[in-house]
Amino acid sequence: MRVLNVAEKPSVAKSVASILSGNQNLRMREGRSRYNKIYEFNYSINGLPCHMLVTSVTGHLMELEFEDRFRKWHACDPALLFTAPVRKVVPQDKLDIKRTLEEVARGCQWLVLWLDCDREGENIAFEVIEVCTAVNRQLTLRRARFSALIERDIHDAVQNLVNPNKCFADAVDARQEIDLRIGASFTRFQTMLLRDAFVIESATNDRNLVLSYGPCQFPTLGFVVERYWEIQSHEPEEFWTINCSHRSDEGVATFNWMRGHFFDYACAVIIYEMCVEEPTANVTKVRQQEKLKYAPAPLNTIQLEKRASIYFRMSSEHTMKVAEELYQAGFISYPRTETDSFSERTNLHAIVQEQQGHPGWGSYAQRLLDPASGLWRNPRNGGHDDKAHPPIHPTKFSSGESGWSQDHHRLYELVVRHFLACVSQPAVGAETTVEIDIAGELFFASGRVIVAKNYLDVYRFESWGGSLLPTYEVGQQFVPTTLTLDSGVTRPPPLLSEADLLSCMDKEGIGTDATMHDHIKKLLDRFYATKDSSMRFSPTNLGEALVMGYDDMGYKLWKPYLRAVMERDMKAVSEGAKSKAEVLETCLQQMKACFLDARLNKVKLFEAMAVFFERSNRSGGDEQHASGEFIRRCGLCQEADMVLRQNRDGNFMVGCLGFPQCRNVVWLPGSVSEAAVTTNVCNSCTPGPVYLIQFTFRRLEIPPDYNANHLGCVGGCDETLRQLTEICGTGSRLSARGRGGPAMPNNVQRSNTRQGACIYCHQTGHSSGNCPSQSSGPRSSRPQSMNVQSAGQVSISCSACGAPCALRTANTTSNRGRKFYSCQSQACNFFVWEDSINNGNRGRGFQRVNVSASASNPSRSVGHGRGGRGAVDAAGVTFVSATGDPISGRRCFVCGDPSHFANACPNRGI
């Protein structure tokens, strides 16, 4: 029977093949990949003769990615990445490995998976299964479980094959998809929003800077920033304490004040003076007891990383790299494990026996195995068991290999000494505590002497310091040698060390034992944090600014709580308590809500970044992309999405994210003050979906018969939106934004082909919101008085002559039925709309000025700017009447009103 064996790395495949074949009749040939060899030999599995073929992958064979149209950053709204289709594909650089597996699998009956026995290894195993079963569906699938590359474990694993664990693989699939969707959406959002908006010192002139976000990476950064903020906000406070010492023939004893310290100086002085006045000390208690210092629990990954950081100043990332190399060479067990308890089946004595010949700790190993020494003690239970691997322990004796670096020697020594320590008796000490009374104030001193060092003899990394006290007896009296009132100052906590950071991550459930070091490394790679020579972390300006921005939003995206819940859910998937689909839906819904909220509050990120960085003069186009909300698929390029965006002048539009390759755009009315995409879908426009937009228009810039709130569609079916676009135009809305400035000439405004004719005057060159017939004149032209008559009608007086104005009705197509006031005197050209008065904007009419030039002269200009409508010099202004007709000095011959002609006179026929 032909059996295909697949290991996770080429070195593991070589070790497995060498152990199983005993290096007898072992043949090697090349595969498609020059790094992944194929080893062949004969072997017997449970009495069944087999022809074994052993090859390998190099970590994950597949990658999870979005479908092509979602992979380009500007091709879609980042919010869509929470639901966009994803797929697992074999990357280009691993196609040769895939071809090797396919070729070998076709002629085999069994597939035995020798991947690392954790969740990640199980996921890789199912990637191999997918590739191999695609070409040979008759394969029998088996899993080899092992924890060390030694003969005992490898032979035992192949004779006791089990089934692959789909739950483990599903848990990794869930994590990969969650991390991909959350990381990609937030990374694109904050990178496109901030990269070009600020000059970031870590990437000067670097347009390829990526401001990455990771659901584990950011809470890790949060720990660093939070400790830094604690230090920055600390205010030193002075305190006082009383210290006492006594010198005798046996030595010096230092006594500490039971109260600790006082922050109130007056109280401390009073108590100190009492002690000085009655300085005789009375010994009130002498307590002697045996103290034990227990050996550490068996070694797991987190403890390995922490202790290597403390003892050798090795980074967690480098520690895992060295540990992996020692494991692949067969010297230690699998280094990625949460377990800190040995099972009863583990032969601990055999492990110790292998170390008897070492010059450094061999004699201690011999004492451990000697029953007469009484040094042996079964290791204590640490309380963690991942059900996959034992604690980290030595698997092969070495007194130092020639190719080892200093760190290889150090880490191997730590693993061996730790194992020997955890099967040893605790250290024994005799501790003495003496309490004395001085004028009613209690003081104490402690001393310790080590009776039996036991495990401390081999575990040189720890000590159990103490001092021996002079002999005291209860009732003894003495006068202190010194009695002082000393002051001190409170100090902030120190910056987080790497061991501290690992402890925080472990406590809050951020990452796993196999990934924590990666998250820490990313902080340094992304320049979010730095690490000093003392292995302590400080946030950079960039890291602090990002955390500050999200913190100001109110969402604790930098806190560990959300990720801790995800990690618990993924563990539940690995245990079969929850399904992958259930966890994906819950986590992604929650994080999408966070994302949408963060995007609405993106100004907080800008404000935080502005604290640390100068604004850039580079194009802010990416900012527009980052703020877009998905409307529909672009019908022009058929690749990117159309999104709602707002430019720097405040105008809204729906544009294609494929810009500049695709320039498809839908310009929205210039009178829009607010616009937000809803979840409602248009039932008419195809292809769908086309999401509806909730518009809010500026009331004074649209005709009175239109609603200021409108739920509209940009797909082409919305007649109201089309009319308002024609009426209001889509050009610059400087006056609407309150940005004063020089008026644009009419000929420039008319050059905008998207701008329709004004609904009031039917002329181009301005929108209805800027129509002179609707603009307020200078303060002197506003009505001087307004009286409410008994009948409830409003009486308006002309600002020029003071005469009462007549109420008239417009009869043009655009303003038919709209009422206005105008002066009856032919010498005055005053008028005001009645609805302007009713809306509280009384006097927004203007004083008409007779001009000699024709109203159709295109060289005339209209004033713009808030509070400046109609306030320009009359000689440079062309006005139109309230009915929309140009003023040319002529009046209605029926009633004499200059605001209309006789054919539109409301009094005609009376």
Side-chain angles (χ1 to χ4, degrees):
M1 184 177 67
R2 293 173 64 86
V3 179
L4 171 59
N5 299 264
V6 182
E8 188 164 325
K9 300 176 183 67
S11 59
V12 176
K14 183 178 181 181
S15 296
V16 169
S18 298
I19 292 172
L20 293 182
S21 67
N23 286 319
Q24 300 295 319
N25 299 318
L26 176 64
R27 299 178 301 281
M28 182 193 76
R29 60 185 174 92
E30 297 292 329
R32 291 274 187 166
S33 169
R34 62 193 181 103
Y35 301 108
N36 304 84
K37 313 295 185 183
I38 302 174
Y39 302 92
E40 296 187 52
F41 56 93
N42 293 325
Y43 189 75
S44 176
I45 301 179
N46 294 324
L48 181 66
C50 302
H51 181 71
M52 306 286 275
L53 297 96
V54 182
T55 188
S56 63
V57 292
T58 50
H60 277 281
L61 182 61
M62 298 181 176
E63 292 179 354
L64 189 69
E65 63 176 31
F66 293 106
E67 289 187 354
D68 290 340
R69 86 176 190 91
F70 295 97
R71 297 184 67 186
K72 294 181 179 179
W73 276 39
H74 293 145
C76 71
D77 178 0
L80 292 181
L81 299 179
F82 284 95
T83 54
V86 293
R87 63 191 179 191
K88 269 197 167 186
V89 298
V90 178
Q92 191 70 29
D93 61 339
K94 295 188 177 180
L95 287 177
D96 285 341
I97 299 175
K98 176 176 179 284
R99 295 188 186 103
T100 297
L101 294 176
E102 290 173 337
E103 291 173 359
V104 179
R106 284 191 178 94
C108 293
Q109 290 77 48
W110 276 26
L111 172 62
V112 178
L113 302 155
W114 292 84
L115 290 307
D116 291 346
C117 298
D118 56 6
R119 291 187 210 168
E120 212 72 32
E122 210 71 19
N123 188 262
I124 301 173
F126 276 87
E127 293 173 357
V128 173
I129 289 173
E130 182 177 338
V131 169
C132 293
T133 55
V135 297
N136 185 353
R137 297 189 177 278
Q138 306 302 317
L139 280 173
T140 299
L141 307 177
R142 291 289 183 267
R143 181 74 160 94
R145 295 205 170 274
F146 60 101
S147 295
L149 291 171
I150 56 177
E151 289 191 16
R152 180 179 64 249
D153 275 30
I154 297 302
H155 284 292
D156 183 68
V158 77
Q159 300 299 334
N160 296 278
L161 299 173
V162 297
N163 293 322
N165 189 331
K166 188 67 165 64
C167 292
F168 273 25
D170 284 347
V172 175
D173 281 339
R175 178 190 59 76
Q176 286 180 344
E177 185 168 342
I178 288 171
D179 288 354
L180 174 65
R181 294 186 184 279
I182 296 174
S185 57
F186 274 95
T187 297
R188 292 186 190 184
F189 161 66
Q190 64 188 28
T191 300
M192 293 190 293
L193 186 68
L194 304 173
R195 179 178 60 192
D196 292 332
F198 295 92
V199 179
I200 301 174
E201 70 271 9
S202 63
T204 304
N205 298 324
D206 185 3
R207 299 298 294 269
N208 295 321
L209 173 68
V210 174
L211 303 181
S212 68
Y213 178 100
C216 282
Q217 171 190 335
F218 240 65
T220 304
L221 174 62
F223 292 129
V224 175
V225 174
E226 191 169 31
R227 174 57 63 87
Y228 181 76
W229 284 348
E230 287 179 22
I231 296 171
Q232 294 298 309
S233 62
H234 176 77
E235 295 184 3
E237 190 173 0
E238 192 173 12
F239 62 82
W240 289 265
T241 185
I242 301 174
N243 291 313
C244 171
S245 69
H246 178 234
R247 180 183 296 276
S248 66
D249 295 338
E250 299 181 42
V252 178
T254 300
F255 292 87
N256 298 311
W257 193 17
M258 283 283 194
R259 293 182 187 267
H261 53 254
F262 271 12
F263 290 101
D264 190 314
Y265 176 69
C267 291
V269 168
I270 291 172
I271 296 174
Y272 174 68
E273 289 179 348
M274 290 169 52
C275 294
V276 170
E277 290 177 0
E278 300 179 14
T280 302
N282 296 298
V283 179
T284 59
K285 185 183 294 184
V286 177
R287 184 173 62 252
Q288 293 181 332
Q289 59 182 352
E290 183 180 82
K291 284 284 187 179
L292 300 179
K293 182 176 178 63
Y294 287 94
L299 193 62
N300 61 15
T301 303
I302 302 301
Q303 286 299 318
L304 176 67
E305 292 172 339
K306 288 169 64 175
R307 291 173 187 268
S309 174
I310 295 171
Y311 303 152
F312 313 131
R313 296 186 180 274
M314 290 172 60
S315 70
S316 55
E317 185 264 340
H318 182 58
T319 297
M320 292 309 298
K321 178 178 180 295
V322 174
E324 183 73 22
E325 291 170 356
L326 291 174
Y327 159 71
Q328 292 180 20
F331 290 100
I332 66 172
S333 62
Y334 189 63
R336 293 182 173 88
T337 176
E338 298 175 7
T339 304
D340 52 13
S341 307
F342 282 105
S343 70
E344 296 179 354
R345 300 192 306 271
T346 305
N347 190 342
L348 302 176
H349 287 81
I351 300 174
V352 175
Q353 286 174 352
E354 291 182 344
Q355 301 297 328
Q356 292 183 93
H358 195 278
W361 52 78
S363 59
Y364 185 86
Q366 294 172 9
R367 286 173 54 201
L368 267 175
L369 297 173
D370 182 5
S373 69
L375 188 57
W376 182 275
R377 182 179 185 272
N378 288 330
R380 60 193 178 99
N381 190 326
H384 300 89
D385 189 354
D386 59 13
K387 308 297 183 183
H389 296 285
I392 304 170
H393 62 274
T395 54
K396 185 165 64 174
F397 171 80
S398 174
S399 58
E401 305 300 308
S402 58
W404 281 7
S405 67
Q406 183 182 29
D407 289 336
H408 287 81
H409 285 281
R410 286 173 171 176
L411 212 60
Y412 180 75
E413 179 184 1
L414 172 60
V415 171
V416 176
R417 289 186 182 272
H418 193 101
F419 173 77
L420 297 177
C422 73
V423 294
S424 301
Q425 292 289 347
V428 181
E431 187 173 271
T432 302
T433 304
V434 178
E435 293 183 11
I436 61 174
D437 183 317
I438 303 176
E441 288 301 306
L442 299 179
F443 298 81
F444 72 95
S446 296
R448 182 188 306 114
V449 60
I450 298 178
V451 177
K453 295 186 69 175
N454 293 336
Y455 89 90
L456 291 176
D457 280 332
V458 70
Y459 207 60
R460 64 177 183 83
F461 313 109
E462 288 186 1
S463 61
W464 199 19
S467 59
L468 186 64
L469 282 179
T471 303
Y472 291 96
E473 295 180 357
V474 176
Q476 178 182 345
Q477 293 185 344
F478 61 86
V479 176
T481 305
T482 63
L483 187 62
T484 59
L485 178 64
D486 299 322
S487 66
V489 177
T490 58
R491 299 184 181 277
L495 292 169
L496 288 178
S497 67
E498 187 145 4
D500 296 333
L501 187 53
L502 288 166
S503 295
C504 291
M505 297 172 70
D506 186 36
K507 178 182 178 182
E508 299 295 345
I510 301 301
T512 64
D513 57 291
T515 61
M516 287 183 187
H517 64 281
D518 287 330
H519 304 317
I520 295 175
K521 183 175 182 294
K522 282 183 180 178
L523 294 187
L524 304 175
D525 292 343
R526 297 299 187 193
F527 199 64
Y528 289 167
T530 59
K531 185 168 62 173
D532 60 23
S533 58
S534 300
M535 305 288 286
R536 295 192 177 274
F537 291 87
S538 298
T540 62
N541 288 343
L542 180 58
E544 186 177 358
L546 291 175
V547 170
M548 183 187 296
Y550 286 113
D551 185 57
D552 289 344
M553 291 178 188
Y555 261 108
K556 302 298 183 183
L557 293 172
W558 57 280
K559 288 285 191 178
Y561 316 127
L562 289 174
R563 183 61 187 194
V565 172
M566 294 181 199
E567 293 286 359
R568 288 195 293 270
D569 284 344
M570 285 181 272
K571 184 176 182 180
V573 172
S574 69
E575 295 170 347
K578 287 187 177 182
S579 68
K580 180 178 77 171
E582 177 186 357
V583 169
L584 284 173
E585 182 179 7
T586 302
C587 293
L588 293 177
Q589 279 183 353
Q590 184 181 37
M591 289 306 298
K592 184 177 182 180
C594 292
F595 175 83
L596 295 176
D597 189 78
R599 190 164 66 178
L600 287 175
N601 292 280
K602 63 179 183 289
V603 66
K604 300 295 185 182
L605 276 175
F606 271 105
E607 292 172 352
M609 290 288 288
V611 173
F612 300 94
F613 303 104
E614 293 182 3
R615 288 301 298 259
S616 170
N617 57 4
R618 289 182 289 189
S619 170
D622 285 347
E623 176 184 334
Q624 298 172 6
H625 285 294
S627 60
E629 295 180 79
F630 174 72
I631 302 294
R632 68 179 303 178
R633 186 79 174 274
C634 179
L636 184 61
C637 67
Q638 296 293 331
E639 291 184 359
D641 294 326
M642 301 286 286
V643 298
L644 175 67
R645 292 186 292 182
Q646 189 175 13
N647 63 21
R648 294 184 181 277
D649 291 329
N651 298 313
F652 287 91
M653 62 180 177
V654 175
C656 178
L657 286 179
F659 181 87
Q661 287 76 21
C662 178
R663 297 178 178 268
N664 189 15
V665 66
V666 177
W667 295 93
L668 300 175
S671 55
V672 176
S673 64
E674 295 179 15
V677 180
T678 69
T679 57
N680 300 318
V681 177
C682 179
N683 296 323
S684 303
C685 294
T686 57
V690 180
Y691 290 95
L692 302 184
I693 303 174
Q694 181 64 54
F695 293 101
T696 300
F697 299 97
R698 285 181 285 275
R699 174 74 271 176
L700 297 178
E701 298 183 19
I702 62 173
D705 51 338
Y706 285 87
N707 197 325
N709 295 305
H710 176 65
L711 182 64
C713 175
V714 297
C717 67
D718 193 330
E719 184 64 22
T720 299
L721 197 61
R722 186 191 65 77
Q723 291 175 1
L724 287 177
T725 303
E726 293 180 357
I727 290 169
C728 303
T730 59
S732 176
R733 306 299 300 166
L734 293 179
S735 61
R737 293 301 176 205
R739 301 175 183 176
M744 294 177 62
N746 277 348
N747 60 342
V748 175
Q749 292 182 349
R750 278 194 292 270
S751 66
N752 186 347
T753 58
R754 296 186 304 271
Q755 191 162 315
C758 173
I759 187 174
Y760 298 135
C761 64
H762 299 290
Q763 292 188 5
T764 59
H766 62 264
S767 69
S768 59
N770 289 333
C771 181
S773 67
Q774 303 301 302
S775 301
S776 60
R779 189 174 300 275
S780 62
S781 69
R782 297 183 183 180
Q784 295 177 341
S785 64
M786 180 183 71
N787 301 317
V788 181
Q789 300 176 350
S790 59
Q793 296 179 347
V794 177
S795 176
I796 298 296
S797 297
C798 177
S799 62
C801 66
C805 297
L807 180 65
R808 304 180 185 278
T809 303
N811 197 34
T812 58
T813 302
S814 57
N815 287 301
R816 180 174 288 111
R818 191 177 185 190
K819 296 183 182 297
F820 63 93
Y821 289 94
S822 65
C823 185
Q824 301 182 57
S825 172
Q826 295 184 2
C828 301
N829 291 321
F830 172 81
F831 86 92
V832 64
W833 289 109
E834 181 192 38
D835 53 17
S836 296
I837 299 173
N838 296 335
N839 289 335
N841 299 311
R842 58 191 65 150
R844 290 190 67 86
F846 55 87
Q847 184 174 0
R848 293 177 300 199
V849 180
N850 290 323
V851 294
S852 59
S854 171
S856 60
N857 188 344
S859 65
R860 305 293 186 183
S861 63
V862 179
H864 289 264
R866 178 167 292 181
R869 298 178 182 178
V872 296
D873 188 284
V877 179
T878 298
F879 291 115
V880 294
S881 70
T883 58
D885 296 317
I887 299 171
S888 59
R890 295 179 295 175
R891 295 172 171 78
C892 172
F893 67 84
V894 175
C895 65
D897 191 336
S899 65
H900 60 261
F901 298 112
N903 63 345
C905 180
N907 298 319
R908 189 175 186 180
I910 297 178

